[in-house]
Amino acid sequence: MTVTEAQPVFHQAGAGLPVPFAVAGTGMHLPPAVVTNQELTRTLDTSDEWITSRTGIRERRRLAPHLATSDMCVAAAAPALDSAGIAPAQLDAVIVATYTGDQPLPSTALIVKDALGAHCALALDVTQAACANGIQAMLIAAHLLQNPSISTILLLAADCASRVTDPTDRTTGVFFGDAAAAVVLTRSDSSGAGLLSYNLGSQLSYGVQIPAGGSRLPTATATAGDHYLRMDGRAVWNTATTRLPESITSAAHRAGMSIDQIQHFFLHQANLNILTETMAALGVPRQRAPITVDRLGNTGSAGLFTALHSTFTEGALASGDTYVLAGIGAGFQWGSLCLRHA
């Protein structure tokens, strides 16, 4: 792993935002193809016991070869819009958080906007924070809703990691799954609802990277395997188990709250052991953090929103509940948002 000598950069705010907003609806799309640990043992030097003990993952989804990330986004958007009672034409913005966009150009958000018929919407892509893209996208959406001309936003978080992982690499091959999740955000009359505070941090590292495909190493001149994701598992563990508890604690403090006052923790579903370690460091029962990584794998940008979706659809996210969204991605970039449900 290569890391810069500079100290991590932190950004935080705690005054809350003056215009309240609500999660009006959520949605999720899971490709139908399921890949179990047992199936992976046929091509990788691993075992079901090894995968389960080190990751907590038992199965993951794979997107069909003829489909792309935008297709998952469109599929996830439909139930989210339906549950919110919002038509695509009413959307003021469509934000797509993904590090596996359909192609370098045009914008994946624009492809999704067009497919939905959201013709009046601003199209935005949030891409290079990897698994932390959703955190940054939610922060952007919260601030866009402060603009009087924007009242309804569709946020989509999706990744098709199966397209960028080496099928022969045990380190990355067992972790990742494909999925999309959607959140509809609307302005609200509930005073005090919405974003209460946030904490973001970053420190340059190449511990997780895709070397090829940019201006430094164009795909056409790359050697075999350079277009696949590479991951230093130890670096990820050390950074995640340190930075996530720090970031969550800081965001809660900035919101004027103790950790005990937060009802729900929607965390990046990278690895069950990381999630368990994070909750233990916070001194919070793990039951407050919904789990989807066991059956979906690491779904990148989508992970924390799959957890939010499961809680929202169960009716377990009550009016006035406070909750945290937190994640960490390649870079490294990490962040936590503290919110109150309308």
Side-chain angles (χ1 to χ4, degrees):
M1 181 184 70
T2 303
V3 181
T4 56
E5 294 298 325
Q7 292 298 307
V9 175
F10 297 91
H11 305 278
Q12 53 189 20
L17 296 178
V19 177
F21 62 88
V23 173
T26 66
M28 183 168 69
H29 174 72
L30 304 178
V34 177
V35 178
T36 65
N37 290 349
Q38 194 61 43
E39 289 177 72
L40 291 179
T41 64
R42 299 169 190 166
T43 56
L44 294 173
D45 180 18
T46 188
S47 68
D48 177 47
E49 189 279 331
W50 189 95
I51 298 170
T52 303
S53 65
R54 286 163 175 77
T55 71
I57 300 168
R58 293 182 171 83
E59 60 185 40
R60 69 286 295 148
R61 301 299 180 101
R62 290 286 183 267
L63 186 65
H66 66 285
L67 298 175
T69 296
S70 65
D71 296 300
M72 292 196 295
C73 287
V74 172
L81 291 169
D82 184 62
S83 69
I86 299 294
Q90 295 174 271
L91 293 172
D92 297 306
V94 173
I95 304 176
V96 173
T98 182
Y99 68 91
T100 55
D102 286 18
Q103 55 194 76
L105 293 173
S107 151
T108 301
L110 183 53
I111 294 170
V112 173
K113 166 190 164 175
D114 184 74
L116 291 174
H119 302 302
C120 297
L122 172 69
L124 292 174
D125 297 77
V126 181
T127 64
Q128 287 190 297
C131 300
N133 285 329
I135 295 294
Q136 296 187 4
M138 189 74 165
L139 182 62
I140 291 169
H143 284 84
L144 283 175
L145 287 165
Q146 305 306 298
N147 186 314
S149 66
I150 295 178
S151 62
T152 309
I153 295 174
L154 173 64
L155 191 161
L156 295 148
D159 273 308
C160 184
S162 62
R163 304 290 164 82
V164 296
T165 49
D166 184 348
T168 67
D169 176 24
R170 183 175 70 169
T171 301
T172 58
V174 303
F175 275 99
F176 295 95
D178 303 335
V183 178
V184 177
L185 302 171
T186 61
R187 286 187 164 210
S188 171
D189 294 328
S190 299
S191 178
L195 183 65
L196 304 178
S197 66
Y198 67 88
N199 171 274
L200 300 180
S202 60
Q203 184 173 26
L204 178 60
S205 166
Y206 292 90
V208 181
Q209 63 168 320
I210 299 175
S215 60
R216 185 175 300 280
L217 185 60
T219 301
T221 60
T223 56
D226 283 340
H227 61 294
Y228 286 133
L229 186 146
R230 298 176 182 174
M231 183 171 69
D232 180 337
R234 178 52 57 183
V236 172
W237 171 271
N238 290 341
T239 306
T241 56
T242 301
R243 299 304 184 189
L244 283 178
E246 289 177 351
S247 180
I248 292 168
T249 301
S250 177
H253 175 74
R254 300 287 295 183
M257 307 179 68
S258 70
I259 291 294
D260 288 341
Q261 292 176 288
I262 298 170
Q263 282 84 23
H264 310 279
F265 295 79
F266 302 116
L267 307 184
H268 170 41
Q269 304 287 310
N271 177 319
L272 183 57
N273 295 337
I274 289 176
L275 195 149
T276 300
E277 185 76 10
T278 297
M279 295 300 285
L282 293 171
V284 176
R286 204 189 72 179
Q287 290 72 20
R288 291 199 211 171
I291 304 297
T292 62
V293 66
D294 56 342
R295 63 187 187 279
L296 301 182
N298 181 342
T299 53
S301 307
L304 63 91
F305 292 103
T306 64
L308 173 61
H309 171 72
S310 67
T311 300
F312 186 88
T313 55
E314 290 166 3
L317 188 61
S319 176
D321 279 0
T322 54
Y323 61 97
V324 162
L325 302 176
I328 185 167
F332 288 108
Q333 298 193 66
W334 59 87
S336 302
L337 312 179
C338 188
L339 302 103
R340 180 171 289 117
H341 190 52

